[in-house]
Amino acid sequence: METDQAPRPITPEECVVTRTLTFVGSRWTPLVIWHLLDGVKRYGELRQALPGISPKTLADRLQALEERGLVTRTVHPEKPPRVEYALTPRGFALGRILDDVARWGEEWEDAD
Amino acid sequence: METDQAPRPITPEECVVTRTLTFVGSRWTPLVIWHLLDGVKRYGELRQALPGISPKTLADRLQALEERGLVTRTVHPEKPPRVEYALTPRGFALGRILDDVARWGEEWEDAD
């Protein structure tokens, strides 16, 4: 979003912000990232922290985050195996932006 | 998104980030904000800067932004009247966050 000369005309498909927001804005994704900002979480902990999310949706969101390098999935070879999810540096960088969005939303929603 | 104690369970509807991203992530909205970051624009200038947008969609996006206090619409009583759109402080604050999203997207998309 270089703004020192007039921005050139682009379509939503060419817009990195639109592409990013389309992914990050998908239902539950911001909340999954938000809870992982708090630290490593097991699948069960995330399910408890996300009232109403289905097991499949949570698994899909975690897989999508993992595929984009935002989350790591670590399987500890215990009986039963312990599976933990954590944000990567890329994920934390996005989490901080979502924090800014939260502050923006809280500041301006109160003003209404 | 207070993160100094464990975040409490909330649903997407209760999540200010989800609400904000749902609105801001709507097709064309990030691009309209991006072009207005560059300064005051007339309707025609925005249409040229947004290849493929329909007149109705642009009018809808501008109205939605105006209703949320992100954009002002000024009619200059000339013949024909000149209508200009500009970001409010609230809109600029959101625009800066979208700039951060752009940098995040550009940095990490290249890494793939």
Side-chain angles (χ1 to χ4, degrees):
Chain A
M1 251 182 182
E2 195 49 50
T3 55
D4 48 14
Q5 79 273 7
R8 62 182 178 79
I10 57 170
T11 63
E13 287 66 32
E14 296 169 306
C15 174
V16 64
V17 174
T18 299
R19 286 199 301 274
T20 303
L21 293 183
T22 302
F23 166 66
V24 172
S26 58
R27 189 172 163 77
W28 295 108
T29 299
L31 281 170
V32 172
I33 293 172
W34 183 40
H35 283 288
L36 290 173
L37 270 175
D38 181 51
V40 174
K41 292 284 184 303
R42 289 201 297 277
Y43 179 86
E45 289 173 308
L46 285 170
R47 274 216 64 203
Q48 271 181 354
L50 300 164
I53 196 168
S54 73
K56 181 179 182 322
T57 299
L58 178 53
D60 290 349
R61 294 295 183 272
L62 288 168
Q63 186 180 344
L65 287 163
E66 201 184 342
E67 283 166 3
R68 284 168 175 77
L70 302 178
V71 159
T72 55
R73 180 175 183 272
T74 308
V75 182
H76 299 277
E78 298 163 7
K79 293 231 182 312
R82 183 160 51 93
V83 180
E84 290 183 336
Y85 296 89
L87 289 176
T88 62
R90 179 186 288 193
F92 264 107
L94 184 59
R96 278 190 295 274
I97 294 176
L98 296 190
D99 233 11
D100 292 341
V101 173
R103 259 191 295 279
W104 181 87
E106 282 151 9
E107 185 186 336
W108 296 105
E109 279 192 346
D110 297 347
D112 286 346
Chain B
M1 249 181 183
E2 194 49 48
T3 54
D4 50 12
Q5 82 273 6
R8 62 182 177 81
I10 58 170
T11 64
E13 287 66 33
E14 295 169 306
C15 173
V16 65
V17 175
T18 299
R19 286 199 301 273
T20 303
L21 293 182
T22 302
F23 166 66
V24 172
S26 58
R27 189 171 163 77
W28 295 107
T29 298
L31 281 171
V32 172
I33 294 172
W34 183 42
H35 283 289
L36 289 174
L37 270 174
D38 182 50
V40 175
K41 291 284 182 306
R42 289 200 297 277
Y43 178 87
E45 289 173 307
L46 286 169
R47 274 217 62 204
Q48 271 180 356
L50 299 165
I53 197 168
S54 74
K56 181 179 182 322
T57 300
L58 178 53
D60 290 348
R61 294 296 183 271
L62 287 168
Q63 185 179 344
L65 287 163
E66 201 183 343
E67 283 165 4
R68 285 169 175 77
L70 302 176
V71 160
T72 55
R73 179 176 184 274
T74 308
V75 181
H76 299 277
E78 298 162 7
K79 294 233 181 311
R82 182 160 48 94
V83 180
E84 289 184 335
Y85 296 88
L87 289 176
T88 62
R90 179 186 289 193
F92 265 106
L94 184 60
R96 279 190 294 274
I97 294 176
L98 296 189
D99 234 8
D100 292 341
V101 172
R103 258 191 295 277
W104 180 87
E106 281 150 11
E107 183 186 337
W108 294 107
E109 280 191 345
D110 298 346
D112 286 345

